[in-house]
Amino acid sequence: MGVRPQGKRGAMAEVRITKQEEAKAFFETVNPEARCVLTSRCALRVLANTSRTRREHFERVALASMRAILTSAGRGLGRPADVDWLASAARSATNSAASAARYATYSANSAAYSAARSAANSTDSTAFSAARSANSAANSAARSAGSAGSANSANSAANSALSADASMPSDWPAFSGVPIWREFKDVEHLQAAHRNFSELLSEDQHWRWWREWYLAMWHGTFSDWDFALKVAKIDWNAPKGESVWDNGAAAVAERIEALLEAREQGRGGDAPPEPLDASEVAHQFSSPKLVQVSMASLAETLNQRVDLFERAERPNEVVGIRASIEGMANAATKIAELVAKGPEADGAQTALAIENGTLRAEAERLRRELKAALDELEAFKKKPWYRASWALVSGGAVASIVTGLWVLSGDDKSLEERWSKLSVDLEFAVSKIWPNPEDQCVPELRFELPETRET
């Protein structure tokens, strides 16, 4: 295959790769994020071949494959606050896709099996798995073309499937604006598989979001990664056998619809930001390291709170406190990214003002949510997830929120007073809502070693 290793500012040098060993050597020259982006693109190019699987196995193979590619693509974004949980989620997605791949072997055409294996291997950011993913994508494309009876078409398909598109610069948009197939004309067989796959996803409503995501990725127009990562995060750390992903596409669709409904109602971390002028946050660019560290710490702390809550209880209803915590984590991550780009980046100062306003708005919404819970405490205690909700505000969550807001405030004394009052209000509400140890349920942190196998 022809690939171009990443250099400074996107400078490339052509490299010819014809063997899996050479592919592995290439992937060792790029970072894990680049491997995930490149292998996700390879897998997406042949994902439609899973439509060749027997109908009774299609749902399992397609769902596992799309989950694996979505997780890998999200890992490729390289967002600091998401790296750890995505790396863990990748192990689950890999196992699920690898297990589902064997059902694709029942297909008359083994292109389906190769497509599923490509998806499974794409979630692992190691050079070895990246090479295996690319190789499986090539096999899938070649076998698909081979079924059309053209050796030249097969070779062309394999080479193009392995074209890594590594010409993107280090700050690439990963997928947005870049169609999965570029400047490749001889793809009639793959276009046919693509149409068939899209039609299969249209037959049942529970594939709706997945079809929209797949088509947008195919055309290079997908950009809603904030929501996509929420989908990837569904039951990412659930114990084996207890994940909603084990219950089929309909069960997953129900969780996705709940996320969509929460977003539409403004309860999914999308509180209207406080109006701030760019000049009010310009000082944050003068101490970028401090802001970056503070926001990364805040995002990590709050994401851990949400993860612990999900581990203890996965409610079917929207929990306002959780939405506020998650919204602050998302805003903190974006603030860190914007400050790292510097004030010279196009629109950076305006975007920074918006994210600061969002962080403040989410903090105020948390205050309102806790006050509402305190005002209706008996009803709140009857919620099946009441005891587990303590996890959302435990572990120094309140202190982290207030500290982060203080760091962003600079020398503004009025803001310091505002955050002092916020701290008092939040700590008071927390102490009244969960006053006794028996009312608090925080699961123990579990660390699992990744599975290993001889290669």
Side-chain angles (χ1 to χ4, degrees), residues 301-310 313 315 319-326 328 366 370 380 385-398 401 430 434 441-443:
T301 297
L302 299 186
N303 280 327
Q304 285 180 349
R305 298 304 97 202
V306 174
D307 293 342
L308 283 172
F309 174 65
E310 286 188 340
E313 185 69 47
V319 180
I321 298 172
R322 170 192 164 164
S324 300
I325 295 291
E326 201 166 36
M328 281 185 279
L366 177 62
L370 290 176
F380 188 77
W385 40 262
Y386 163 65
R387 295 180 65 231
S389 64
W390 161 249
L392 293 166
V393 291
S394 62
V398 172
I401 293 168
V430 168
W434 301 274
C441 174
V442 181

Side-chain angles (χ1 to χ4, degrees), residues 44-52 140-141 144-145 147-148 153 157 160 179-200 211 214-215 218-219:
L44 277 164
R45 284 172 174 154
V46 294
L47 172 63
N49 277 338
T50 59
S51 62
R52 297 170 180 266
S140 181
S144 176
S147 66
S153 178
S160 188
I180 291 303
W181 290 99
R182 294 194 302 178
E183 301 178 1
F184 182 44
K185 309 300 182 184
D186 191 17
V187 290
E188 291 84 355
H189 50 284
L190 290 172
Q191 291 287 1
H194 167 64
R195 289 192 296 271
N196 188 35
F197 186 64
S198 300
E199 290 171 1
L200 285 174
R211 183 175 186 273
Y214 167 71
L215 291 176
W218 179 272
H219 294 294

Side-chain angles (χ1 to χ4, degrees), residues 272-343:
E274 291 187 12
L276 293 179
D277 187 83
S279 60
E280 296 181 68
V281 298
H283 65 275
Q284 294 171 13
F285 287 110
S286 62
S287 53
K289 294 299 183 183
L290 175 62
V291 173
Q292 282 181 268
V293 171
S294 176
M295 291 299 100
S297 176
L298 175 59
E300 182 178 5
T301 297
L302 299 186
N303 280 327
Q304 285 180 349
R305 298 304 97 202
V306 174
D307 293 342
L308 283 172
F309 174 65
E310 286 188 340
R311 187 172 298 169
E313 185 69 47
R314 293 188 287 275
N316 292 323
E317 62 180 299
V318 175
V319 180
I321 298 172
R322 170 192 164 164
S324 300
I325 295 291
E326 201 166 36
M328 281 185 279
N330 292 337
T333 297
K334 292 177 182 177
I335 289 172
E337 293 173 351
L338 290 166
V339 171
K341 291 181 179 179

Side-chain angles (χ1 to χ4, degrees), residues 105-414:
T105 62
Y106 291 104
S107 168
N109 192 310
S110 57
Y113 173 76
S114 294
R117 293 299 307 184
S118 181
N121 290 320
S122 73
T123 59
D124 190 333
S125 62
T126 65
F128 175 77
S129 290
R132 291 217 315 181
S133 178
N135 187 62
S136 293
N139 287 337
S140 181
R143 286 166 179 167
S144 176
S147 66
S150 169
N152 289 334
S153 178
N155 291 332
S156 182
N159 289 334
S160 188
L162 286 169
S163 175
D165 289 334
S167 57
M168 301 179 191
S170 58
D171 59 347
W172 52 29
F175 299 96
S176 180
V178 185
I180 291 303
W181 290 99
R182 294 194 302 178
E183 301 178 1
F184 182 44
K185 309 300 182 184
D186 191 17
V187 290
E188 291 84 355
H189 50 284
L190 290 172
Q191 291 287 1
H194 167 64
R195 289 192 296 271
N196 188 35
F197 186 64
S198 300
E199 290 171 1
L200 285 174
L201 295 182
S202 299
E203 292 181 359
D204 292 300
Q205 185 64 19
H206 53 248
W207 290 113
R208 181 174 67 88
W209 185 85
W210 289 108
R211 183 175 186 273
E212 293 174 355
W213 169 79
Y214 167 71
L215 291 176
M217 295 292 279
W218 179 272
H219 294 294
T221 59
F222 188 78
S223 60
D224 193 4
W225 286 104
D226 287 340
F227 187 82
L229 290 180
K230 291 180 185 294
V231 174
K233 205 168 188 176
I234 293 175
D235 278 8
W236 68 272
N237 60 350
K240 188 174 182 179
E242 298 181 19
S243 171
V244 69
W245 297 96
D246 298 325
N247 298 327
V252 175
E254 185 177 340
R255 297 288 288 272
I256 293 176
E257 287 300 319
L259 292 173
L260 288 169
E261 180 183 355
R263 182 171 66 174
E264 291 171 1
Q265 296 180 1
R267 295 181 295 171
D270 297 322
E274 291 187 12
L276 293 179
D277 187 83
S279 60
E280 296 181 68
V281 298
H283 65 275
Q284 294 171 13
F285 287 110
S286 62
S287 53
K289 294 299 183 183
L290 175 62
V291 173
Q292 282 181 268
V293 171
S294 176
M295 291 299 100
S297 176
L298 175 59
E300 182 178 5
T301 297
L302 299 186
N303 280 327
Q304 285 180 349
R305 298 304 97 202
V306 174
D307 293 342
L308 283 172
F309 174 65
E310 286 188 340
R311 187 172 298 169
E313 185 69 47
R314 293 188 287 275
N316 292 323
E317 62 180 299
V318 175
V319 180
I321 298 172
R322 170 192 164 164
S324 300
I325 295 291
E326 201 166 36
M328 281 185 279
N330 292 337
T333 297
K334 292 177 182 177
I335 289 172
E337 293 173 351
L338 290 166
V339 171
K341 291 181 179 179
E344 296 81 12
D346 291 341
Q349 295 194 57
T350 300
L352 185 61
I354 293 173
E355 296 306 331
N356 270 259
T358 298
L359 183 59
R360 294 183 188 183
E362 294 289 1
E364 292 296 344
R365 183 167 67 156
L366 177 62
R367 190 206 310 252
R368 294 194 301 271
E369 292 286 354
L370 290 176
K371 183 179 184 303
L374 191 56
D375 291 342
E376 301 290 338
L377 188 55
E378 291 307 311
F380 188 77
K381 285 184 175 181
K382 292 180 182 179
K383 298 290 187 180
W385 40 262
Y386 163 65
R387 295 180 65 231
S389 64
W390 161 249
L392 293 166
V393 291
S394 62
V398 172
S400 296
I401 293 168
V402 177
T403 300
L405 289 167
W406 269 334
V407 169
L408 296 178
S409 300
D411 297 327
D412 192 325
K413 298 300 181 183
S414 63

